[in-house]
Amino acid sequence: MPAARALAVFALSAVVAVAVDGPLGRLSRRFPPLTELPATPFCAQDAALVELGFRAAAADLAWVQMLEYMGNGLPQLPDAPGHPYAHIAVLASRIVSLDPSFHRAYLYGASVLGWFPQVARPEQAVALLQEGLRRDPGQRLYLLYIAALAYKKEGDVPKMIALLDSTLKDPGTPTLMKEILANLYKSQGRYAKALEIWRDILDDPAAASDHPRARLQIEEIRALEAAGRGS
Amino acid sequence: MDTIKAVFDYTLREHVRSRAWLSAALFGLVLLGAGAIASVLAVNERGRMVLDLGLAAILAIGLVSMVFLTVRLVLQEIESRAVFLILTHPVRRWHYLLGRFFGTLAAVAIGMAGMGLVHWLLLEAFGWAPAGSYALAWVSILGQVALMGALALLLSLALTSEAAAMAFSVFFWVLGHFTPELRYIAERSGSGPLRGLILAFARAAPDFSRLDYAGARHAGTPAAWAAWAVLYVLAYGTACLALSAELFEQKEF
């Protein structure tokens, strides 16, 4: 290829590439810059994976680490005695900074922050859900959870329960929220509803890790029902 | 065109017969299996994790294979003097270069297609088929691999050292994912000339972050994005290949 023609092809292609860059940038999904990643011991891991082009896998890994934290804790993020799950907000925020469309991370984080009695940080739960509304629009569960938290704040537990119950059939609802609702029903003596939820969890193959807890709860609730009938 | 096709066929056969290619494809399948096993940890998000880890494995294997093969593609033939034998035939240098490049790309694409098929069957078998288009995610990975290959070829001819070409290829790959941060830094830069310089640098590097459909898939990226992405890969890739052809023409053997 003559030099002049090669250079002309190069120049023309470069101009087209620069011209295309604008519309492509407008249509591409914009992710938060790495500077918005919350400070955690995993920053280097997250930045390395993102810069190597594995953003979605980085978010998945962050999700697994959050579940590990909730299950057994993470040695990198120890909780002070009497303050369990103190890092849950930052871990949830880390996932959604890596992938703002990770619906379940907002809902899971908000469930723990808003409804775990030993955590009880509903303001942070609302902030996380509001971040979801801003970065990941179109998910109705965020609004419903915010409304449920508002009812909780006002002390209107029946309305809160009714609202959460309406989200149960939504495929995006985390198993954790189903368990929270089952425990709420149990604490109110509505054993039939609680049993129904635990049985649903037991039938869900995706919630296999929660099956032993579901079996225990079913046994416990049946015993409570029997005791109630006996007295 | 006939000479390009002849070189293409010979390059494709050469790669498909090589053990390195087969090993890479097999390693990719092992990674897919490992991803499926690791996904147990993701509980409710198992399907998502199998999908993401599988696409990441396809990208990693495709990218490493393409850069490794492309960097050695011409340099090795120059070292072994096999290129003299080919160029004594009525083969234009740029025909030879394009045939070699597209032959390599086809070999890598076949390996990636095999991995993609196994991955998709795995997702289908477990009922985790993605909501978005899997084919589009795969094509976006192939586009990134092709673009990186064109850039690696240019670097190998410009730097004439395999190690330097590979190191710079990795640098450009990382830089291509760092462009959102570069734009962020430019936006917050107080100095006009500095901002212009950073933006020019960000534009000169291939913007892989905008081609990452796999990363953007969960958010439902608009379909029009695909057309612009294809045009971007074609334009940027052609620019790299045109410069490579010119450098190859200038080489004295």
Side-chain angles (χ1 to χ4, degrees):
Chain A
M1 190 190 283
R5 202 198 293 175
L7 292 176
V9 171
F10 164 74
L12 185 67
S13 311
V15 167
V16 173
V18 170
V20 167
D21 194 45
L24 182 62
R26 279 193 291 279
L27 288 169
S28 303
R29 172 80 177 172
R30 284 192 188 174
F31 292 103
L34 286 176
T35 45
E36 286 187 23
L37 264 181
T40 64
F42 310 106
C43 279
Q45 168 196 309
D46 296 338
L49 284 172
V50 169
E51 297 309 337
L52 286 172
F54 304 116
R55 185 178 273 273
D60 292 347
L61 192 56
W63 166 257
V64 170
Q65 284 176 321
M66 185 174 82
L67 294 181
E68 203 183 333
Y69 172 74
M70 288 302 294
N72 305 313
L74 288 170
Q76 297 92 333
L77 288 172
D79 287 323
H83 297 280
Y85 312 124
H87 303 287
I88 186 68
V90 79
L91 287 175
S93 180
R94 172 188 170 215
I95 301 168
V96 299
S97 294
L98 287 167
D99 183 354
S101 60
F102 207 126
H103 322 310
R104 219 183 287 264
Y106 296 103
L107 300 171
Y108 188 98
S111 304
V112 176
L113 289 164
W115 283 280
F116 264 40
Q118 63 271 52
V119 179
R121 281 182 275 155
E123 324 76 46
Q124 286 189 6
V126 172
L128 184 62
L129 292 165
Q130 279 171 341
E131 198 181 333
L133 285 173
R134 187 170 56 85
R135 284 181 170 174
D136 181 30
Q139 299 296 316
R140 70 179 197 108
L141 284 180
Y142 302 155
L143 275 175
L144 290 174
Y145 279 28
I146 290 173
L149 283 165
Y151 283 132
K152 185 173 188 270
K153 193 178 176 185
E154 288 169 11
D156 197 341
V157 177
K159 273 192 178 168
M160 180 191 78
I161 289 178
L163 201 56
L164 291 177
D165 194 86
S166 72
T167 68
L168 272 184
K169 297 292 173 202
D170 192 300
T173 302
T175 308
L176 183 74
M177 179 47 88
K178 294 177 185 173
E179 293 176 4
I180 288 168
L181 191 57
N183 286 334
L184 282 168
Y185 279 130
K186 186 179 152 190
S187 66
Q188 296 212 324
R190 295 167 71 180
Y191 299 132
K193 290 290 283 183
L195 272 176
E196 192 186 322
I197 295 171
W198 284 116
R199 280 191 193 117
D200 276 350
I201 292 171
L202 207 52
D203 291 340
D204 182 5
S209 60
D210 295 283
H211 287 178
R213 191 180 309 142
R215 283 191 201 97
L216 273 176
Q217 285 292 328
I218 288 170
E219 273 178 36
E220 201 178 302
I221 293 167
R222 277 184 185 147
L224 284 169
E225 268 186 325
R229 277 196 298 271
S231 60
Chain B
M1 281 307 277
D2 284 348
T3 48
I4 296 177
K5 193 180 174 306
V7 178
F8 172 91
D9 289 343
Y10 136 74
T11 308
L12 181 59
R13 268 199 307 274
E14 176 194 333
H15 286 314
V16 171
R17 281 178 190 162
S18 86
R19 278 189 193 164
W21 182 85
L22 189 65
S23 308
L26 286 176
F27 185 59
L29 294 180
V30 170
L31 282 183
L32 288 182
I37 293 167
S39 70
V40 175
L41 300 169
V43 192
N44 289 134
E45 293 290 351
R46 227 186 139 182
R48 180 196 159 103
M49 195 164 168
V50 172
L51 179 63
D52 291 340
L53 292 186
L55 290 173
I58 294 171
L59 173 65
I61 295 289
L63 192 70
V64 170
S65 309
M66 190 69 192
V67 169
F68 185 73
L69 292 174
T70 316
V71 161
R72 295 163 58 97
L73 197 63
V74 180
L75 293 184
Q76 214 175 34
E77 290 220 326
I78 293 173
E79 266 176 33
S80 66
R81 300 176 185 272
V83 73
F84 298 120
L85 191 67
I86 297 161
L87 294 178
T88 50
H89 291 82
V91 178
R92 287 184 180 173
R93 285 189 180 197
W94 68 276
H95 284 187
Y96 166 77
L97 198 72
L98 288 187
R100 292 290 278 164
F101 174 75
F102 285 110
T104 304
L105 182 60
V108 171
I110 290 170
M112 285 171 59
M115 283 180 70
L117 184 66
V118 171
H119 186 216
W120 185 78
L121 288 173
L122 186 74
L123 289 163
E124 276 290 312
F126 286 94
W128 296 327
S133 165
Y134 182 85
L136 195 53
W138 185 87
V139 170
S140 90
I141 291 174
L142 182 64
Q144 292 176 68
V145 168
L147 192 50
M148 202 55 231
L151 194 57
L153 182 63
L154 172 62
L155 290 167
S156 74
L157 290 167
L159 300 170
T160 64
S161 149
E162 282 182 20
M166 280 189 200
F168 272 90
S169 298
V170 172
F171 169 76
F172 275 105
W173 174 253
V174 173
L175 186 67
H177 287 94
F178 198 69
T179 45
E181 278 69 38
L182 282 179
R183 290 198 183 85
Y184 180 81
I185 293 165
E187 278 168 25
R188 275 147 189 81
S189 162
S191 150
L194 182 63
R195 181 185 305 164
L197 191 70
I198 296 171
L199 284 176
F201 195 57
R203 283 213 162 176
D207 196 339
F208 292 112
S209 66
R210 288 179 175 176
L211 299 176
D212 183 14
Y213 180 78
R217 185 194 63 250
H218 300 292
T221 306
W225 165 88
W228 289 108
V230 167
L231 197 56
Y232 182 79
V233 170
L234 287 177
Y236 204 105
T238 306
C240 289
L241 290 176
L243 271 190
S244 303
E246 178 51 22
L247 284 173
F248 196 52
E249 289 285 351
Q250 302 290 330
K251 269 204 182 305
E252 289 179 10
F253 301 120

